[in-house]
Amino acid sequence: MPRPEVLERIKTAENEADDIVAEAEADREERIAEARREAEEIRQQAEEEAREYEEERLDDARSDIEEERAEILERGERARKELVEDAQDNADEAVEYAIEQFEEAVHAQT
């Protein structure tokens, strides 16, 4: 094979190799870009799931707090009613005692 043909074949092979390398680099860049896009989508989805989970936990906590608040208020209302009843009973007893003391004082003077 004459020398110019050999040189031409070498040059063609080098050009083909350069094209293959360039194509491989472009493919690599495309894959990297796609991987970055996928990673960003995964990150965004994870953030959204975390926000939803946080909101769910907050809703559960608010519900628990509201239930506990209602129970505390109910216990407080029952205790208040008992105190009012006890106070009324004590008032009745105090009035009876005062009347008895008054009657004894009146009888003592007569």
Side-chain angles (χ1 to χ4, degrees), residues 32-93:
I32 289 171
E34 179 63 26
R36 286 186 177 139
R37 282 191 296 275
E38 287 179 16
E40 181 61 22
E41 288 175 15
I42 291 168
R43 186 192 62 77
Q44 288 177 351
Q45 184 175 357
E47 284 181 354
E48 179 62 28
E49 288 174 3
R51 277 191 294 276
E52 289 173 4
Y53 178 73
E54 177 184 21
E55 190 60 37
E56 183 180 309
R57 296 278 301 178
L58 285 172
D59 288 344
D60 290 346
R62 286 183 186 114
S63 177
D64 291 346
I65 289 168
E66 184 56 34
E67 287 176 17
E68 187 175 341
R69 178 185 167 276
E71 290 173 10
I72 290 169
L73 289 174
E74 186 177 318
R75 285 194 307 265
E77 182 62 21
R78 281 195 306 265
R80 185 194 66 80
K81 285 180 181 179
E82 288 176 15
L83 289 171
V84 167
E85 288 174 7
D86 290 346
Q88 287 174 344
D89 290 345
N90 289 339
D92 292 342
E93 290 175 16

